[in-house]
């Protein structure tokens, strides 16, 4: 909500010395979030005056139309002579009053004005547009043309109110009253302890039987509807400068007088209004729910198919407006048009000021993706008591500015309702804040908000109509606390119980993050939202469990309505963005939750707020949530080791992804089994299946390797991109969780090398597993150090795998015979299982 300080001063007599920054500090202390204070015209320097165009000469021979004008600026130039100005705009003519900036002035942005020669003429100043003066959009996209009665030579800075301060307030969802100058003025008056001149306190005629006919068939959706009629409006009447400027300062574009007046009153009082062209409304105005499939063309020119829950305004033909959101094109106010018969346009209007159900309006606006200033206010709460005053204020302005006549008929339909009352113990705010405010302070602060308060120890509080967010004692306590100042609350740090620190799981997550960071990976957290199309891009099978997702009822983006079942989409997206911005050597990691739907799902129960939930209630709530295991994933692309004087460097490959998995497994204290695999986005020939053994059974906990070229093309990723993903919770469960110090033996190691020839399809990991089992407990480590292929020496389809085996005993020095026997046993078992034979 943008609030001009000059407008705010109309309702609160702020000290003349108070600046926008001062008001900002006061409102922030009262609990409003004032994001910025915009200084309008801070770098603007005159002379900036009103001029009248005397002559226009069209200059020929240029690529674009250029005009050489003489403009009367009175005595503003010191001579009284016409000012010669070159201008390229076409939306003005001889006799028009325009805004002229003279040499020596400075426009917003530090643009200095001086006489200069251009297009073969000397231009002594500029004829200004609204953009050049920092006024915002006025709808013309051209030169400002002022009303004919504007005085020549008048100071345009003062006329156009170019110097002002505008407070930009981020209004929270529960403070709909602050989406108006009236609401912010009330908060300002309270903050300064000054009286408020409430713009809604005006004389309003009582409803009568001869107002415009209205029928409300859904009193729950619309509990109040006021209709007023104004006739005889001058179609050519335009919004005065002061009204246009106020709309521009609050961020709205002037359109036409009738529309501008309704927008002005909405910003002033917070009550959305709508004006119908009376000649286009046929019969009684109605309020009802739409019929499924009904059509309505809204003011933005879009034909919308209505839902049965949409609240609509109708006449005898059907819908003429989407209630509380946007009017229909079939009753739109017509702008003036000059014809041979005179000036045509809307001369009679029906003013609607209604109060609609907040939830209904919010759902309709989101259903049709049509968020408007009106819907923004209705869904946050509008003062129902202000409808009649807003309608009267609109009528008064139309009569004043367009020469209309207010008809005596007043229609007001009100559904019976009682004011909302809350019983509040006088000491409740003290207990909430831990501060001794006392009854007198509590009553005074609630009365400042607008509440009626009765009682002594038990206060009976009647909530004001403009604060629908006050529904229980805690809301009232919050009002007292914020007005007394959050900064005055005592700071009491909680005392932590001794002997407690991070849980085992938290320590593991931190160790994993540090280990991957130490290995050269950069953490890249991502949003947990994905589109279901990404599973096609990843090449997952149609029946893959990862395709079963939890969908959000109200997603942040319709393009990503589901919760992730894998970390890869987010990480690969981050890699693609960084690669596209010039960072080609990338190694990223993330640890985070994935969301897996349960086989049987049921709705969550509502937990109590007046006591701690029982263990059964918490268990029932957790049972309704999806399973949320924590995964860890890495992605790599480009160079893994940079080239330099130390060597050539090397690119990242599948082995780096596997090594990242081993790094994570070491931190979890789990033994990771790596073997050939094939799954989803990974290249079938360069994919490792990651397995752990727990409770005597093996479990696949992830995959690592190089991604498939089809996946790289679908996702726009660099060539040879690699990735790894592990179920970190499963890895933790398989680990022993106890840090193991390395054993240091006093006895020497015995090393034996073997080179085994096997068929090419035989995985090296299978040969290694057989050697490890056959060697027995004397084997300390095994390492593959060479892979050799030569058809002439080894035979067609054969390869040689060379392993270094290290043997050591804990209690003695091994003899050559013992080491050789262990080696032979290992080779024998490898030959039995894989067909391996000793090379040479």
């Amino acid at each position: 909500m943008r609030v001009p300080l000059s407008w705010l001063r109309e309702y609160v007599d702020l000290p003349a010395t108070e600046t926008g920054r001062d008001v900002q500090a006061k409102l922030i202390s009262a609990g409003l979030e004032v994001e910025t204070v915009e200084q309008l015209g801070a770098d603007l320097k005159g002379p900036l005056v009103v001029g009248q165009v005397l002559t226009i000469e069209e200059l020929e021979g240029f690529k674009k139309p250029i005009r050489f004008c003489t403009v009367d600026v009175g005595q503003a130039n010191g001579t009284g002579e016409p000012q010669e100005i070159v201008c390229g705009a076409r939306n003005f003519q001889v006799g028009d009053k325009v805004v002229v900036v003279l040499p020596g002035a400075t426009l917003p942005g530090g643009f200095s004005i001086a006489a200069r020669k251009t297009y073969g003429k000397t231009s002594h100043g500029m004829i200004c547009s609204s953009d050049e003066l920092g006024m915002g959009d006025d709808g013309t996209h051209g030169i400002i043309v002022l009303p004919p009665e504007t005085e020549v030579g008048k100071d345009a800075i003062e006329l156009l109110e170019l110097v002002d301060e505008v407070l930009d307030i981020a209004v929270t969802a529960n403070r709909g009253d602050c989406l108006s100058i009236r609401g912010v003025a009330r908060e300002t008056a309270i903050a300064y302890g000054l009286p408020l001149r409430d713009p809604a306190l005006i004389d309003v005629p009582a409803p009568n039987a001869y107002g415009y006919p209205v029928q409300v068939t859904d009193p729950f959706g619309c509990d109040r509807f006021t209709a007023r009629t104004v006739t005889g409006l001058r179609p050519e009447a335009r919004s005065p400068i002061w009204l246009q400027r106020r709309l521009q300062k609050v961020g709205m574009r002037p359109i036409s007088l009738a529309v501008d007046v309704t927008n002005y009153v909405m910003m002033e009082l917070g009550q959305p209004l709508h004006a119908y062209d009376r000649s286009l409304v046929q019969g009684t105005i109605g309020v009802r729910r739409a019929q499924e499939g009904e059509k309505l063309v809204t003011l933005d020119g879009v034909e919308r198919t209505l839902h049965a829950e949409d609240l609509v305004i109708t006449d005898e033909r059907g819908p003429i407006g989407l209630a509380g959101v946007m009017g229909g094109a079939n009753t739109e106010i017509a702008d003036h048009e000059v014809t041979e018969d005179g000036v045509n346009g809307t001369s009679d209007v029906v003013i609607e000021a209604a109060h609609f159900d907040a939830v209904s309006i919010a759902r309709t606006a989101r259903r049709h993706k049509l968020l408007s200033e009106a819907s923004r206010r209705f869904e946050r709460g509008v003062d129902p008591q202000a409808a009649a005053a807003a309608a009267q204020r609109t009528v008064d302005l139309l009569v004043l500015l367009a020469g209309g006549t207010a008809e005596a008929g007043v229609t007001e339909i009100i559904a019976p309702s009682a004011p909302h009352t809350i019983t509040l113990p006088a000491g409740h705010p003290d207990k909430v804040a831990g501060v001794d405010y006392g009854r007198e302070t509590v009553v005074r602060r609630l009365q400042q908000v607008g509440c009626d308060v009765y009682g002594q120890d038990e206060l009976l509080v009647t909530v004001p109509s403009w604060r629908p967010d006050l529904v229980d004692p805690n809301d009232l306590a919050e009002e007292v606390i914020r007005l007394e100042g959050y900064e005055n609350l005592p700071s009491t740090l909680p005392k932590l119980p001794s002997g407690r620190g991070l849980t085992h799981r938290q320590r593991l997550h931190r160790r994993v993050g540090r280990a991957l960071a130490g290995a050269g990976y950069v953490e890249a957290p991502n949003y947990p939202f994905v589109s279901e199309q990404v599973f096609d891009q990843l090449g997952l099978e149609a029946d893959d469990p990862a395709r079963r997702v939890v969908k959000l009822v109200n997603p942040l983006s319709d393009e990503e309505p589901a919760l992730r079942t894998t970390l890869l989409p987010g990480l690969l997206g981050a890699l693609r963005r960084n690669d596209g911005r010039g960072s080609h050597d990338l190694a990223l990691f993330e640890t985070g939750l994935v969301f897996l739907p349960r086989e049987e799902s049921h709705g969550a129960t509502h937990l109590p707020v007046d006591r701690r939930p029982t263990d059964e209630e918490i268990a029932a709530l957790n049972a309704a949530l999806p399973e949320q295991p924590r995964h860890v994933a890495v992605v790599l692309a480009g160079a893994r080791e940079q080239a330099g004087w130390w060597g050539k460097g090397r690119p990242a490959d599948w082995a780096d992804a596997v090594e990242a998995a081993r790094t994570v497994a070491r931190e979890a204290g789990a033994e990771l089994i790596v073997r050939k695999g094939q799954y989803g986005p990974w290249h079938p020939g360069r994919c490792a299946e990651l397995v752990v053994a727990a409770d005597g059974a093996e479990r696949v906990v992830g995959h690592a390797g190089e991604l498939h070229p089809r996946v790289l093309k679908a996702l726009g990723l660099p060539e040879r991109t690699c990735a790894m993903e592990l179920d970190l919770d499963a890895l933790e469960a398989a680990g022993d969780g106890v840090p193991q110090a390395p054993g240091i033996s006093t006895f020497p190691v015995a090393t034996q090398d073997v080179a085994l020839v096997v068929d090419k399809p035989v995985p090296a990991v299978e040969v290694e597993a057989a050697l490890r089992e056959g060697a027995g407990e004397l084997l300390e480590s095994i390492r593959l150090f060479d892979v050799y292929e030569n058809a002439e020496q080894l035979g067609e389809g054969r390869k040689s795998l060379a392993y270094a085996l290290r043997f050591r005993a804990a209690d003695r020095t091994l003899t050559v015979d013992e080491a050789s026997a262990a080696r032979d046993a290992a080779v024998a078992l490898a030959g039995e299982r894989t067909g391996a034979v000793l090379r040479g």
Side-chain angles (χ1 to χ4, degrees):
M1 176 68 191
R2 291 171 57 84
V3 180
L5 189 60
S6 58
W7 198 349
L8 194 63
R9 288 182 183 274
E10 285 197 6
Y11 309 126
V12 184
D13 289 326
L14 294 172
T17 57
E18 288 294 286
T19 66
R21 297 290 185 190
D22 297 329
V23 177
Q24 177 188 31
K26 287 282 190 180
L27 292 179
I28 289 176
S29 179
L32 294 185
E33 185 181 352
V34 184
E35 293 186 323
T36 60
V37 178
E38 184 178 352
Q39 307 288 334
L40 300 183
D43 52 355
L44 178 64
K45 176 185 173 184
L48 189 72
V49 298
V50 176
Q52 184 172 21
V53 180
L54 301 178
T55 64
I56 298 177
E57 176 188 349
E58 301 288 345
L59 301 182
E60 305 293 339
F62 300 102
K63 293 182 179 180
K64 61 180 181 179
I66 299 296
R67 311 167 94 184
F68 181 65
C69 311
T70 59
V71 185
D72 178 15
V73 294
Q75 297 299 317
N77 58 4
T79 65
E81 296 295 323
Q83 201 79 2
E84 296 180 339
I85 299 175
V86 175
C87 184
R90 313 289 298 176
N91 68 312
F92 66 96
Q93 56 191 358
V94 172
D96 281 347
K97 302 288 180 65
V98 294
V99 178
V100 179
V101 58
L102 301 177
T106 303
L107 293 182
F111 183 61
S112 299
I113 303 300
R116 66 189 183 96
K117 190 169 184 178
T118 178
Y119 297 105
K121 301 285 186 178
T122 300
S123 182
H124 298 273
M126 285 175 53
I127 302 175
C128 297
S129 68
S130 60
D131 286 339
E132 290 164 338
L133 297 179
M135 295 170 55
D137 185 11
D138 64 354
T140 64
H141 301 291
I143 294 302
I144 301 171
V145 179
L146 300 171
E149 64 272 15
T150 310
E151 177 186 351
V152 172
K154 184 177 178 63
D155 184 0
I157 295 178
E158 179 183 352
L159 175 69
L160 298 176
E161 302 177 16
L162 297 178
V163 178
D164 202 350
E165 294 182 275
V166 179
L167 285 72
D168 194 350
I169 303 175
V171 179
T172 54
N174 66 319
R175 292 304 303 273
D177 60 305
C178 288
L179 288 174
S180 66
I181 304 296
R182 178 196 183 200
V184 176
R186 182 181 293 108
E187 290 295 320
T188 305
I190 296 172
Y192 279 90
L194 296 172
L196 169 70
R197 288 188 293 275
D198 192 341
L201 295 180
I202 58 177
D203 293 331
V204 177
N208 50 55
Y210 40 92
Y212 197 93
V214 175
Q215 183 178 13
V216 177
T217 59
D218 189 340
F220 176 79
C222 175
D223 57 10
R224 184 180 295 260
F225 195 105
T226 301
R228 300 290 299 278
T229 304
V230 181
T231 60
L233 300 176
R234 298 194 312 272
E236 72 278 7
R238 312 303 298 168
S239 300
I241 293 173
W242 64 266
L243 193 150
Q244 293 187 44
R245 287 297 295 132
R246 286 195 168 177
L247 289 179
Q248 288 174 326
K249 289 177 184 179
V250 298
M252 303 191 77
R253 180 171 62 87
I255 299 174
S256 64
L257 178 58
V259 176
D260 291 350
V261 167
T262 58
N263 285 337
Y264 177 85
V265 175
M266 176 180 67
M267 302 308 296
E268 181 181 57
L269 300 182
Q271 168 66 54
L273 301 110
H274 189 70
Y276 301 93
D277 188 328
R278 183 175 179 177
S279 65
L280 300 178
V281 179
Q282 299 181 11
T284 301
I285 290 178
V287 184
R288 62 169 171 83
R289 298 287 173 174
Q291 298 174 8
E292 190 69 37
E294 273 188 305
K295 305 288 186 180
L296 170 67
V297 178
T298 46
L299 289 174
D300 56 358
V302 177
E303 183 180 65
R304 303 183 184 277
T305 301
L306 303 180
H307 189 275
E309 292 184 4
D310 292 336
L311 198 65
V312 292
I313 311 297
T314 64
D315 64 4
E316 292 180 351
R317 297 165 295 177
I320 60 173
L322 206 52
V325 180
M326 185 175 285
N330 52 359
T331 56
E332 182 179 6
I333 298 292
D335 204 356
H336 80 285
E337 180 182 5
V338 179
T339 65
E340 295 180 357
D341 300 330
V343 180
N344 293 329
T346 299
S347 58
D348 300 339
V349 297
V350 177
I351 306 299
E352 166 210 305
H355 184 262
F356 301 110
D357 174 57
V359 174
S360 176
I361 299 305
R363 288 177 175 172
T364 295
R366 283 158 178 74
R367 186 180 297 119
H368 294 281
K369 296 180 175 61
L370 188 60
L371 302 180
S372 63
E373 291 290 344
S375 68
R376 185 183 174 208
R377 283 161 176 78
F378 276 124
E379 67 184 43
R380 285 166 172 78
V382 169
D383 181 5
Q385 302 287 348
Q392 182 63 43
R393 178 81 165 123
T394 305
V395 169
D396 292 343
L397 287 172
L398 289 176
V399 170
L400 174 67
L401 302 177
T405 301
E407 290 195 351
V410 178
T411 302
E412 190 168 27
I413 299 176
I414 303 175
S417 62
H420 181 55
T421 59
I422 303 171
T423 300
L424 174 73
H428 184 66
D430 299 7
K431 293 179 179 180
V432 173
V435 177
D436 187 12
Y437 292 123
R439 178 188 177 281
E440 182 179 340
T441 299
V442 171
V443 172
R444 176 171 57 85
R445 288 304 190 182
L446 292 179
Q447 288 175 338
Q448 287 179 333
V449 171
C451 298
D452 291 329
V453 185
Y454 304 95
Q456 292 298 320
D457 295 336
E458 284 288 323
L459 302 180
L460 185 63
V461 182
T462 302
V463 174
S465 58
W466 56 83
R467 292 298 302 273
D469 59 304
L470 303 180
V471 296
D472 60 37
N474 288 324
D475 294 329
L476 299 178
E478 182 183 1
E479 293 299 297
V480 175
I481 295 168
R482 74 175 182 87
L483 294 179
E484 283 294 304
Y486 290 120
E487 69 277 9
N488 295 323
L489 293 177
S491 297
T492 305
L493 295 177
K495 294 182 180 179
L496 294 176
S498 60
R500 294 187 183 181
L502 299 177
T503 65
H504 171 73
R505 190 181 189 210
Q506 290 170 330
R507 287 196 296 270
L508 172 61
H509 297 165
R510 294 194 181 189
R511 288 201 311 271
V512 167
R514 285 195 295 266
L516 290 175
Y521 292 85
V522 176
E523 188 170 14
N526 294 282
Y527 286 119
F529 312 117
V530 296
S531 66
E532 294 184 85
Q533 288 73 25
V534 76
F535 300 124
D536 296 328
Q537 296 171 323
L538 290 176
L540 300 185
E541 299 291 340
D543 58 348
D544 194 295
R547 285 183 174 270
R548 293 186 63 242
V549 295
V550 177
K551 290 188 178 180
L552 301 172
V553 175
N554 187 21
L556 292 179
S557 169
D558 290 339
E559 296 179 358
E560 295 180 330
L563 292 173
R564 66 190 179 191
T565 57
T566 168
L567 301 181
L568 289 184
L571 270 180
L572 293 175
L575 185 141
R576 179 179 61 249
R577 286 191 299 274
N578 282 276
D579 180 73
R581 294 170 183 171
S583 297
H584 304 302
D585 303 325
L586 296 162
L588 309 178
F589 84 93
E590 179 182 8
T591 61
L593 302 179
V594 298
F595 305 85
L596 310 177
R598 298 181 185 272
E599 295 296 333
E600 297 183 4
S601 60
H602 58 275
T605 58
H606 291 283
L607 296 182
V609 296
D610 58 342
R611 59 174 174 81
R612 187 188 186 282
T614 65
D615 293 341
E616 292 75 15
E617 289 170 333
I618 295 176
L621 178 63
N622 289 333
L625 298 176
E627 294 181 15
Q628 301 176 48
R630 183 172 289 271
H631 282 201
V632 57
V634 305
V635 293
L636 306 100
R640 185 65 177 133
E641 295 178 3
Q642 295 291 336
W645 58 265
W646 53 83
K648 297 181 179 179
R650 67 174 183 84
D653 61 17
W654 62 269
D656 294 303
V658 174
E659 182 57 29
R662 289 196 172 106
T663 299
V664 174
R666 282 194 294 270
E667 295 299 326
E671 183 178 351
L672 194 67
I673 302 172
V674 180
R675 61 193 183 203
K676 181 180 179 181
Q678 182 173 345
Y679 176 69
W682 281 276
H683 192 296
R686 299 169 187 152
C687 173
E689 186 177 74
L690 309 174
V691 180
V692 294
D695 300 327
E698 290 187 348
R699 177 181 175 183
V700 177
V701 294
H703 294 81
E706 184 179 315
L707 297 181
H708 199 288
R710 283 197 299 268
V711 174
L712 302 181
K713 182 177 180 181
L715 294 175
L717 299 172
E719 292 183 358
R720 311 303 291 267
T721 296
C722 301
M724 178 277 293
E725 183 167 11
L726 275 172
D727 185 336
L728 191 54
D729 286 353
L731 205 62
E732 178 187 6
D736 56 19
V738 178
Q740 298 290 332
I744 301 176
S745 176
T746 59
F747 298 97
V749 66
T751 302
Q752 297 275 354
D753 293 345
V754 295
L756 304 177
V757 178
V758 296
D759 293 336
K760 284 186 179 181
V762 176
V765 68
E766 292 185 9
V767 178
E768 179 181 325
L771 289 172
R772 186 182 300 276
E773 183 179 344
E777 59 183 18
L778 293 179
L779 182 67
E780 182 179 79
S781 68
I782 181 172
R783 178 175 62 88
L784 175 68
F785 66 86
D786 183 57
V787 178
Y788 176 71
E789 296 180 7
N790 188 311
E792 294 182 1
Q793 296 183 14
L794 304 177
E796 195 68 35
R798 305 278 281 176
K799 64 182 178 182
S800 171
L801 304 176
Y803 293 90
L805 285 70
R806 291 166 57 91
F807 299 96
R808 195 192 314 255
D811 56 350
R812 68 188 186 281
T813 299
L814 292 178
T815 64
V816 174
D817 292 340
E818 287 178 309
S820 298
R823 180 202 62 187
D824 293 342
V827 170
L829 187 61
E832 179 182 337
R833 290 189 177 177
T834 66
V837 297
L838 280 172
R839 180 180 169 190

